[in-house]
Amino acid sequence: MLYISTKYQIIRKDFPFYLGKTAHGGLWVQIKNLPGHLPKESPSHVQEIMKWNGWGYSDSRFLFNKKGQAEFTGKRYRLSGMIIPGLKDWFECTFGASLQHKTPPLLNSSAVQPPTLNEAFVEELKSTGIPFSQDAEDRVFRAHGHCLHEIFALREGKFGRVPDMVVWPNCHNDVVKIVELASKHNVCLIPYGGGTSVSSALECPPEETRSIVSLDTSQMNRILWVDEKNLTAHVEAGIVGQDLERLLNESGYCTGHEPDSMEFSSLGGWVATRASGMKKNIYGNIEDLVVHIKMVTPQGVIEKSCQGPRMSTGPDIHHFIMGSEGTLGVVTEVTMKIRPMPEYQKYGSVVFPNFEQGVACLREVARQRCAPASIRLMDNEQFKFGHALKPQVSSIFTSFLDGLKKFYITKFKGFDPNRLCVATLLFEGDREKVLQHEKQVYDIAAKFGGLAAGEDNGQRGYMLTFVIAYLRDLGMDYYVIGESFETSVPWDRVLDICRNVKARIVRECKERGVQFPPLSTCRVTQTYDAGACVYFYFAFNYRGLSDPVQCQNLHAAREEILANGGSLSHHHGVGKLRKEWMRETVSNVGMGMLKSVKDYVDPNNIFGNRNLL
Amino acid sequence: MASKAVYSQRDPMLKKRDDFEDILEERRNSSDLRYALRCYAPVVYKGLCPSKAGTLKSMVLQSDQLHYVIHQVCRETGRAVDDVQEEVSSILEEMAHRLQLSTVRFFAFTLSKVFKTLFRSICVNEEGIQRLQQAIQEHPVVLLPSHRSYMDFLLMSYLLYTYDLALPVIAAGMDFMGMKFVGEMLRMSGAFFIRRSFGGDKLYWAVFSEYVKTMLKNGFAPVEFFLEGTRSRTSKSLTPKLGLLNIVMDPFFKGEVFDVSLVPVSISYERILEESLYARELLGVPKPKESTSGLIKARKVLSEDYGSIHVYFGQPVSVRSLAEGRVNRCQFNLIPRHIPKKPSEDIHSFVNDSAYRLVRAQEENMVLKPWVLLASLLLQNQVSGQKRGIALDELTEQAVWLRDLSRQYGAFLHWPEHTPPSEVVSSSLSLHRGLVRISEGRVQLALGQRGPAAPGEPRSAVTPEEELLSQAVIILSCASYRNQALHVFLRPALLASAIHTASSNKKQEVFNSFSFLRNMFSNEFILCPGATVQDFEEACYLLVKTGALQVTQQDVLVTERGHRTLVFLTSMLDPFLQGYQVVCRFLCEEATEALTEKQFIPAVRKFIIKHLLAGRLRYTEVLSSDLQKNSLAALLRLGAVRKIKGAEQGTLKVNTVMVNSLEDTLGGKLPTQKAVIARL
């Protein structure tokens, strides 16, 4: 993550920027495009620093070194360059995997189909001067999100339908031109932001016969103005989370919107999928943060005429845009709320004797509406996993201290190491209030048998979020595949859904012939007044299976979620992966409403990614 | 030789069932005391939250569901919350078990002694026990034994103790509480007591269902109850009661547990302890109220030989698998789960279907003894020819024939393999010497209390009615053994009767007739709702397979060699057909305006006795009140009789035309018209 240390030490130092004042006294910030990073002329080179068939930066990955120890490469993260001694044992014990059995990716990106081009469209596009590319690598890079099946196929060197070309608009007007041309020539457009979708939203519909153009918003990454009087910022939708946050930080502000994917995901993507951030308890989810949206559709531009903080003007048109998943148009500019940067930040953690107590505590915290910026509860398996990710300790003293803590919790307090679970906390605000708040939360936790377990554990918990995606790539090198998914559920159902979905995964794996027991784990990641967001992870060793991806049981797991009163999605969206359940989720009439909006806004299905409906 | 070939054909089917092990054998060879005191450490449910019986009560009292209902009751009746709460506590007090190991050990000791004197062996399929052990660890378990005797639940707990399995908590009828000491003993061995009827009592229902669910969800212990609701006095499985099944399935529907395993258990007694007691009860001698002194009097049963018991623990049935594709659990998403709600239509029909499937599973794994076949044959032959009874060697020949037939129909028959049939027959007869008599090489039912009256002995002391009733006791006892095999022959027998009553050999007509009979008898036998076509096909398949029938596209033809089978099958069903007809006749001829449901049984009994004494009825067993009740239930279901709720409690209103036509259709005098079928 970005803020690994408590004192806002920014770990990533690439992407330099300019900072200045606007004529009206607002702040403006602009990213400087340095040669070698994202030059305007060939914006396609993002894949040089990013993996094309895995998660994140090319220089950052887990590997088992020659001694068989796990380490994390690169310099970007706090864990980078460190040895993780516990990971190998955990990996082998949990999955029955062996370092002897490797499944390296097949590095073969030449098998991409030649592009289907709409010559007239290409000709006219050329005349606008907007950069575009038909390069195979560029196209493949934008043909997928990060679902397991997508990455698995890439590693096997299999490519389905990929976009036929990529365009890089530089501003709102460029997008207007592109959408006009696409409508004129009947070309299919698929908006592309950060590429972190996990709902098959970026997959090209195989039945699409028209030329597919991936509209990459990455060049629209400026903060156009900052309004300190109203605490808003007007931002181009292609900006990725970490840049937005860093740029605002430089002028003493933040949006506070930190989805786990914030290193790579873009503002436009957040709006299009109804994203949720880790610190929503203070700052709100994307729908609470957005003040104004500009979106280009085949029917023209949709936006509101003013920036009033709340309006009673019929159904909020923003809610047609948020969650439209690229089926209606391209979000180009967004006005967002900003906040002064918090003075003080503090991590924390609480150990509970069992998951039930932990959930009860979170429920009480929500009831009293005193949730810290973030509060997350990991189950026992994830606690163990987090433990396995502890980097090598430098001094005997720390390891002695760790041993002492463990002794205290398991022997003195009588916690069962196979049942205890841990909540991680993040407090934010001015120092005094944070300390007060902290005490309040720890007092509640104590009522549920919770023991404060230190800042370090909390911090490591949050780090886990950012590296877990990298870990999946490591697993895939050794016959282990995994996936995650989320839901939201009323409080009274939380425990039941956690138990049942985990059990369902185990059962399905067994029934489908998975030889080794899977890792099936969950955590409660957000609290609301009326419920919580639950995140599930599962992974298993697929040696001996002919079609491992088929065995991942996402379908069964989602059925189980729905049968247990969970929602279809809390923040990942529907995409194509979950659209079979849309009708029962929103009812026939609801479906008709959405459909009629689509029919009006985009009658020719220019935005033809076929998500959602 | 032929029979051998037939047998080996069935062999694969038999192999599917597990082998039995006699648990009494070890009891006879080692100390009962040591056995009762041995270390008992059963495996438990993996999600178990260890709790004592006491904490269980407070969990129930503090549950959201009870809170809700208590406040609802207060709102509706204006009673004070404390008052209602107190009632709840006392209901719970009256209901709750106090399972404790010492009592179980006491029972383990005494029952060992008792069982060894009463029974030759108690055979258990150990693979079933292993499956159960597995199931207990994985999910909450519900044990569903068949119910033929008071013995059943003591036996179940005894077995589970023997195999070091978690002791069940058992739903028992309140009537046991009449026996002060015994009731408390049972309570301490895991029984919890429920009132027989509490239809409208919302509070009682809430306490009861919450109590059961709490035990189930926490994996406190396997929950045991009898699907049939009460002991079957006829040895026929009773149509299942849904209340408790609904309760134990509910936590799955609502996602409170991942799954629930239902384990059907079939307990078959070679001789039922309550044999003649049941017959008397069916004939109208009221059931003696359970009392401790009564139990002591029952001591004389200890001196008799009751043969063996077979207990078959069936395949655990996962509620989750049963519900897959049938129940949409999302229906519970929009209302808080603690608010009691009447089950929806689809839930109700699902629970009902499941209940039937489970009772069928019980039936299928019920071990049949040779005597069951002999009883069937003796009942059919009692009046054939001028001489009473049947020659012993003929009986043996018929028994062998029936043995092979029943095996072909999939019966779970325990016929000693290496013993000559004649020995099998005579040893069976001698075990049931109270019911049969052999004289001059002929076997007949022991009708007449003290054997045939010696010439010249005065018989005036006994009225004809009394004599009839005492004969009926024997016949009904015998019929209860025949009934054990009914489920094997039921579908083919319905088909045979349908062929018999249908006006032609046209397949459609036979089917109509079959469907009519099946519908008519669906209160009498276990016939899964909505499975008419499957049942018809199964019956056809079995009869065709055994060469008794030829079924073409259009016609159903009885073969030459099939004749014997069909005669046997129709005779099996005949008493029931006649019974239903006579009930119809009674309703048409004698039912007055003011006949109430309560008066129905005595009145119809009187009517039947009159006809029997006049020789107008063939089957004494139609005196069974079970049959009379079932036929009334069927007529009520079909709308031929209606219950009028008015001043007079449950007055019966008879639709004479319809009852008449049903009677004629049953008797084959009227074709099963399409119209009738459609209306049914």
Side-chain angles (χ1 to χ4, degrees):
Chain A
M1 71 171 291
L2 276 181
Y3 312 110
I4 293 300
S5 82
T6 48
K7 295 287 176 195
Y8 307 116
Q9 178 197 350
I10 295 167
I11 305 299
R12 283 200 49 221
K13 291 231 167 70
D14 27 0
F15 294 114
F17 49 86
Y18 294 125
L19 189 66
K21 287 257 182 183
T22 61
H24 310 290
L27 274 168
W28 65 271
V29 191
Q30 187 179 12
I31 293 177
K32 191 170 82 179
N33 290 304
L34 288 182
H37 272 279
L38 290 177
K40 271 270 154 68
E41 293 71 31
S42 52
S44 62
H45 286 180
V46 59
Q47 55 261 42
E48 280 178 7
I49 60 160
M50 302 272 284
K51 295 194 193 84
W52 69 275
N53 62 354
W55 178 261
Y57 298 106
S58 304
D59 56 18
S60 301
R61 58 186 290 253
F62 282 97
L63 52 78
F64 288 112
N65 62 23
K66 290 204 177 81
K67 287 186 207 155
Q69 287 171 311
E71 62 178 86
F72 192 55
T73 64
K75 293 193 180 74
R76 294 172 190 272
Y77 298 87
R78 196 186 177 202
L79 207 59
S80 295
M82 290 205 187
I83 300 282
I84 305 128
L87 188 58
K88 175 171 173 276
D89 281 349
W90 177 85
F91 185 72
E92 290 184 335
C93 291
T94 308
F95 298 109
S98 157
L99 300 193
Q100 311 305 315
H101 303 296
K102 278 199 82 164
T103 44
L106 299 164
L107 296 170
N108 161 29
S109 56
S110 61
V112 184
Q113 289 170 354
T116 315
L117 293 176
N118 183 318
E119 294 300 339
F121 172 80
V122 177
E123 277 314 304
E124 278 205 57
L125 187 65
K126 262 184 199 160
S127 69
T128 63
I130 299 169
F132 65 90
S133 160
Q134 291 153 14
D135 178 64
E137 267 186 51
D138 288 336
R139 289 160 54 216
V140 167
F141 192 81
R142 286 161 188 82
H144 66 86
H146 283 272
C147 289
L148 172 68
H149 67 268
E150 294 173 311
I151 300 299
F152 196 84
L154 287 177
R155 288 172 62 100
E156 301 252 286
K158 288 178 189 151
F159 312 105
R161 179 82 158 95
V162 304
D164 299 300
M165 58 187 276
V166 183
V167 295
W168 284 273
N170 189 42
C171 61
H172 171 77
N173 286 338
D174 283 357
V175 175
V176 172
K177 282 181 212 157
I178 294 167
V179 173
E180 273 172 9
L181 288 181
S183 298
K184 183 175 166 193
H185 297 288
N186 195 23
V187 163
C188 173
L189 287 179
I190 297 185
Y192 181 89
T196 55
S197 153
V198 283
S199 59
S200 300
L202 289 168
E203 268 174 33
C204 298
E207 66 270 33
E208 182 59 69
T209 52
R210 297 172 295 179
S211 180
I212 299 178
V213 174
S214 175
L215 191 156
D216 185 326
T217 60
S218 61
Q219 304 311 298
M220 308 198 302
N221 58 0
R222 286 154 293 224
I223 295 177
L224 297 177
W225 47 256
V226 171
D227 178 347
E228 288 178 291
K229 291 211 173 64
N230 293 309
L231 288 177
T232 52
H234 193 65
V235 189
E236 288 184 311
I239 196 165
V240 297
Q242 61 171 321
D243 294 340
L244 174 63
E245 220 51 22
R246 194 187 60 250
L247 294 175
L248 287 173
N249 285 173
E250 289 297 324
S251 47
Y253 291 105
C254 66
T255 64
H257 185 68
E258 294 185 11
D260 291 355
S261 61
M262 70 174 292
E263 294 170 282
F264 311 108
S265 58
S266 70
L267 172 56
W270 300 339
V271 170
T273 57
R274 295 182 65 88
S276 168
M278 176 178 107
K279 299 195 292 199
K280 72 94 195 155
N281 293 335
I282 292 181
Y283 301 97
N285 287 316
I286 195 72
E287 67 271 20
D288 310 308
L289 285 164
V290 158
V291 175
H292 183 269
I293 305 173
K294 205 190 260 185
M295 178 166 80
V296 181
T297 77
Q299 289 284 23
V301 176
I302 176 173
E303 63 179 320
K304 290 183 186 175
S305 67
C306 68
Q307 306 205 43
R310 180 182 188 274
M311 295 183 220
S312 173
T313 49
D316 191 340
I317 55 162
H318 283 172
H319 285 287
F320 290 120
I321 299 170
M322 285 187 289
S324 61
E325 305 193 358
T327 59
L328 300 177
V330 189
V331 176
T332 54
E333 290 172 15
V334 177
T335 308
M336 263 181 112
K337 295 180 198 169
I338 56 171
R339 298 292 303 165
M341 280 167 67
E343 176 193 301
Y344 186 66
Q345 222 179 7
K346 192 173 182 193
Y347 287 96
S349 64
V350 182
V351 180
F352 292 98
N354 55 48
F355 192 64
E356 290 77 8
Q357 296 279 69
V359 170
C361 173
L362 260 62
R363 206 282 162 261
E364 185 56 32
V365 165
R367 196 198 310 275
Q368 296 191 18
R369 289 201 173 162
C370 64
S374 168
I375 178 165
R376 288 177 171 177
L377 180 73
M378 299 190 252
D379 69 0
N380 182 262
E381 288 84 357
Q382 237 171 84
F383 165 77
K384 287 178 181 162
F385 172 43
H387 217 70
L389 278 178
K390 256 190 180 175
Q392 200 159 32
V393 282
S394 38
S395 76
I396 296 174
F397 181 69
T398 9
S399 83
F400 171 73
L401 218 60
D402 280 351
L404 214 61
K405 271 190 235 159
K406 196 174 162 190
F407 177 81
Y408 177 71
I409 287 176
T410 60
K411 294 291 183 306
F412 191 74
K413 281 287 172 181
F415 284 19
D416 179 352
N418 290 314
R419 283 176 63 82
L420 61 81
C421 73
V422 62
T424 59
L425 310 166
L426 173 60
F427 297 91
E428 239 180 56
D430 41 282
R431 195 165 186 284
E432 213 160 292
K433 276 192 185 143
V434 163
L435 295 178
Q436 215 180 337
H437 194 178
E438 194 186 18
K439 183 172 181 309
Q440 188 186 6
V441 172
Y442 283 122
D443 284 350
I444 294 173
K447 283 189 199 139
F448 296 91
L451 294 175
E455 286 182 60
D456 197 48
N457 277 320
Q459 210 173 340
R460 203 172 36 247
Y462 287 101
M463 172 194 71
L464 200 69
T465 310
F466 287 84
V467 298
I468 200 163
Y470 285 101
L471 264 169
R472 182 168 82 180
D473 291 336
L474 175 74
M476 285 167 99
D477 287 339
Y478 297 95
Y479 285 97
V480 173
I481 54 176
E483 185 62 295
S484 64
F485 49 93
E486 36 65 82
T487 187
S488 55
V489 64
W491 277 115
D492 72 310
R493 294 261 196 179
V494 171
L495 280 177
D496 291 329
I497 209 171
C498 290
R499 177 191 55 242
N500 292 351
V501 172
K502 289 199 288 186
R504 178 73 179 261
I505 290 167
V506 172
R507 196 184 89 146
E508 293 283 332
C509 279
K510 200 168 158 194
E511 278 178 8
R512 288 166 204 235
V514 175
Q515 312 276 321
F516 307 89
L519 171 71
S520 177
T521 153
C522 72
R523 66 178 185 213
V524 181
T525 60
Q526 289 291 6
T527 62
Y528 291 87
D529 286 349
C533 168
V534 181
Y535 217 101
F536 295 94
Y537 292 87
F538 76 94
F540 60 87
N541 182 341
Y542 69 87
R543 282 191 71 211
L545 293 176
S546 57
D547 192 357
V549 174
Q550 272 306 308
C551 295
Q552 62 167 333
N553 324 311
L554 275 185
H555 191 272
R558 184 59 62 178
E559 300 252 271
E560 192 62 35
I561 285 175
L562 297 177
N564 282 275
S567 64
L568 188 52
S569 172
H570 171 261
H571 61 271
H572 282 173
V574 175
K576 288 179 276 288
L577 196 62
R578 289 181 272 277
K579 73 179 189 176
E580 65 179 288
W581 292 288
M582 260 306 268
R583 189 172 290 277
E584 64 180 87
T585 300
V586 302
S587 81
N588 278 330
V589 179
M591 210 51 184
M593 278 181 175
L594 298 179
K595 192 87 182 25
S596 63
V597 169
K598 167 78 179 174
D599 288 346
Y600 170 73
V601 174
D602 183 17
N604 298 317
N605 197 27
I606 297 304
F607 288 92
N609 59 18
R610 301 187 194 227
N611 290 338
L612 204 59
L613 296 175
Chain B
M1 191 61 220
S3 70
K4 194 139 195 161
V6 168
Y7 174 68
S8 63
Q9 207 183 324
R10 288 301 315 167
D11 214 9
M13 177 68 186
L14 282 178
K15 274 273 142 51
K16 272 200 333 213
R17 294 201 174 98
D18 310 334
D19 294 330
F20 286 97
E21 191 110 350
D22 177 14
I23 59 155
L24 283 189
E25 200 173 300
E26 202 195 321
R27 292 278 43 77
R28 294 190 208 280
N29 295 324
S30 67
S31 154
D32 288 335
L33 193 63
R34 197 179 311 143
Y35 159 78
L37 294 176
R38 86 204 150 96
C39 167
Y40 167 76
V43 294
V44 292
Y45 173 48
K46 65 177 178 203
L48 173 78
C49 326
S51 50
K52 291 197 199 94
T55 44
L56 211 58
K57 276 190 212 165
S58 61
M59 281 166 88
V60 174
L61 290 174
Q62 279 154 24
S63 68
D64 294 339
Q65 197 209 337
L66 265 185
H67 271 260
Y68 182 85
V69 176
I70 287 171
H71 285 100
Q72 198 183 22
V73 168
C74 290
R75 258 200 321 276
E76 284 168 8
T77 61
R79 288 168 62 190
V81 175
D82 288 350
D83 183 33
V84 179
Q85 218 133 28
E86 210 152 289
E87 188 186 336
V88 166
S89 299
S90 70
I91 293 174
L92 196 58
E93 207 55 44
E94 173 193 273
M95 183 183 307
H97 69 81
R98 280 198 301 277
L99 181 60
Q100 55 180 49
L101 195 55
S102 55
T103 316
V104 173
R105 291 191 192 283
F106 166 78
F107 270 115
F109 180 76
T110 32
L111 286 178
S112 295
K113 301 286 182 212
V114 172
F115 286 158
K116 279 188 284 188
T117 35
L118 284 179
F119 303 108
R120 295 180 195 173
S121 61
I122 297 176
C123 300
V124 180
N125 65 324
E126 297 205 333
E127 276 152 81
I129 293 286
Q130 278 157 22
R131 288 192 296 257
L132 176 60
Q133 186 178 30
Q134 199 69 36
I136 284 174
Q137 291 171 68
E138 290 295 316
H139 304 294
V141 164
V142 177
L143 292 166
L144 301 168
S146 58
H147 204 10
R148 301 287 175 269
S149 168
Y150 275 143
M151 211 61 153
D152 291 327
F153 77 80
L154 287 177
L155 178 64
M156 282 292 289
S157 298
Y158 181 82
L159 290 179
L160 295 182
Y161 173 81
T162 303
Y163 284 103
D164 214 16
L165 288 172
L167 290 166
V169 289
I170 308 124
M174 213 52 189
D175 30 11
F176 274 111
M177 287 304 292
M179 306 184 266
K180 284 241 160 52
F181 177 68
V182 176
E184 286 311 306
M185 284 296 280
L186 294 178
R187 203 191 272 284
M188 288 189 280
S189 64
F192 62 94
F193 294 98
I194 39 181
R195 298 177 189 164
R196 278 272 173 224
S197 59
F198 47 91
D201 193 340
K202 206 184 283 181
L203 204 58
Y204 191 86
W205 175 261
V207 177
F208 165 54
S209 66
E210 193 56 32
Y211 182 62
V212 176
K213 280 187 220 171
T214 306
M215 289 190 289
L216 189 78
K217 284 190 292 196
N218 292 307
F220 176 84
V223 172
E224 176 179 317
F225 66 90
F226 300 105
L227 265 175
E228 298 164 285
T230 181
R231 290 170 299 152
S232 166
R233 271 66 167 170
T234 57
S235 287
K236 266 186 302 137
S237 294
L238 304 177
T239 49
K241 307 283 176 290
L242 304 184
L244 261 161
L245 191 60
N246 235 319
I247 289 174
V248 298
M249 283 182 162
D250 197 60
F252 167 75
F253 295 146
K254 291 182 176 166
E256 292 164 339
V257 294
F258 181 72
D259 200 353
V260 175
S261 298
L262 308 173
V263 182
V265 183
S266 314
I267 307 175
S268 16
Y269 295 90
E270 188 166 14
R271 248 191 93 187
I272 298 167
L273 292 160
E274 294 99 324
E275 186 181 86
S276 62
L277 215 65
Y278 286 160
R280 293 217 168 77
E281 207 180 301
L282 290 171
L283 291 167
V285 184
K287 159 184 167 191
K289 202 166 190 302
E290 277 85 3
S291 66
T292 310
S293 63
L295 200 80
I296 292 166
K297 263 184 231 147
R299 240 173 359 146
K300 81 163 198 300
V301 300
L302 287 179
S303 56
E304 287 196 41
D305 178 2
Y306 286 89
S308 55
I309 304 176
H310 282 82
V311 184
Y312 194 95
F313 287 84
Q315 200 75 40
V317 179
S318 141
V319 176
R320 177 173 278 269
S321 319
L322 281 179
E324 206 165 321
R326 285 228 29 198
V327 174
N328 182 0
R329 287 186 285 157
C330 291
Q331 62 186 284
F332 297 98
N333 286 355
L334 298 179
I335 295 176
R337 289 175 293 173
H338 63 268
I339 297 181
K341 213 177 116 195
K342 214 170 167 260
S344 63
E345 199 54 50
D346 67 322
I347 294 278
H348 178 84
S349 85
F350 167 73
V351 175
N352 190 40
D353 289 359
S354 307
Y356 272 88
R357 279 179 69 170
L358 290 160
V359 175
R360 288 277 286 141
Q362 284 176 357
E363 282 186 339
E364 274 159 21
N365 291 326
M366 203 70 99
V367 168
L368 305 180
K369 290 298 204 163
W371 164 247
V372 167
L373 305 181
L374 298 178
S376 312
L377 293 165
L378 287 168
L379 279 170
Q380 288 191 13
N381 283 297
Q382 52 169 317
V383 283
S384 67
Q386 317 90 321
K387 287 190 193 168
R388 291 211 143 222
I390 178 174
L392 184 58
D393 49 352
E394 199 193 332
L395 181 65
T396 308
E397 186 274 332
Q398 287 198 20
V400 169
W401 171 80
L402 191 54
R403 174 193 72 185
D404 298 338
L405 186 71
S406 64
R407 277 184 174 158
Q408 284 179 304
Y409 288 176
F412 195 5
L413 185 66
H414 252 239
W415 185 288
E417 273 324 308
H418 304 293
T419 320
S422 58
E423 258 175 58
V424 174
V425 169
S426 55
S427 89
S428 294
L429 293 176
S430 80
L431 185 70
H432 295 275
R433 54 180 161 266
L435 299 176
V436 284
R437 183 174 326 119
I438 309 171
S439 59
E440 300 157 32
R442 293 187 75 81
V443 187
Q444 58 178 345
L445 297 181
L447 307 174
Q449 284 297 68
R450 265 166 268 115
E457 198 177 311
R459 299 194 53 179
S460 54
V462 184
T463 66
E465 189 179 325
E466 279 168 348
E467 191 182 332
L468 177 67
L469 285 176
S470 72
Q471 285 177 4
V473 170
I474 302 295
I475 288 176
L476 285 185
S477 302
C478 237
S480 81
Y481 289 103
R482 175 211 54 204
N483 286 347
Q484 290 184 15
L486 259 180
H487 69 92
V488 176
F489 299 105
L490 177 62
R491 275 144 266 265
L494 283 170
L495 180 56
S497 299
I499 293 169
H500 189 71
T501 48
S503 52
S504 77
N505 284 333
K506 289 268 174 293
K507 192 173 173 182
Q508 185 58 46
E509 253 179 80
V510 172
F511 176 77
N512 288 349
S513 186
F514 177 88
S515 163
F516 168 79
L517 289 174
R518 189 184 177 282
N519 192 9
M520 201 69 216
F521 285 130
S522 62
N523 295 75
E524 189 74 43
F525 309 118
I526 301 301
L527 291 158
C528 299
T532 311
V533 175
Q534 280 134 276
D535 281 349
F536 182 73
E537 275 166 6
E538 188 190 321
C540 287
Y541 168 78
L542 289 174
L543 284 172
V544 168
K545 189 180 80 167
T546 49
L549 216 59
Q550 277 177 342
V551 179
T552 65
Q553 206 72 325
Q554 299 294 328
D555 298 308
V556 176
L557 295 167
V558 181
T559 63
E560 193 66 33
R561 59 187 265 239
H563 215 73
R564 182 179 186 184
T565 311
L566 266 83
V567 167
F568 170 79
L569 290 172
T570 43
S571 317
M572 195 160 219
L573 219 50
D574 218 25
F576 296 95
L577 274 166
Q578 196 179 74
Y580 276 51
Q581 287 175 62
V582 81
V583 169
C584 287
R585 207 175 317 148
F586 162 76
L587 287 170
C588 291
E589 289 176 13
E590 306 240 322
T592 59
E593 281 297 304
L595 181 73
T596 63
E597 212 183 349
K598 251 190 174 162
Q599 298 160 343
F600 168 76
I601 294 288
V604 78
R605 181 180 296 132
K606 223 171 108 192
F607 182 81
I608 291 171
I609 289 174
K610 194 174 77 191
H611 280 261
L612 277 170
L613 290 174
R616 283 196 294 268
L617 273 177
R618 188 170 168 199
Y619 299 107
T620 315
E621 62 171 290
V622 300
L623 271 171
S624 159
S625 62
D626 180 65
L627 182 145
Q628 294 150 10
K629 273 182 209 153
N630 289 338
S631 51
L632 179 63
L635 293 172
L636 282 165
R637 174 170 49 85
L638 299 174
V641 177
R642 278 183 304 134
K643 231 187 282 185
I644 295 169
K645 280 177 190 153
E648 207 62 46
Q649 271 290 302
T651 309
L652 298 174
K653 174 113 178 64
V654 182
N655 177 342
T656 320
V657 178
M658 194 170 172
V659 172
N660 227 327
S661 99
L662 284 171
E663 185 197 344
D664 288 347
T665 318
L666 280 167
K669 287 182 218 153
L670 259 186
T672 43
Q673 296 136 345
K674 284 245 169 69
V676 177
I677 298 293
R679 274 175 72 186
L680 300 186

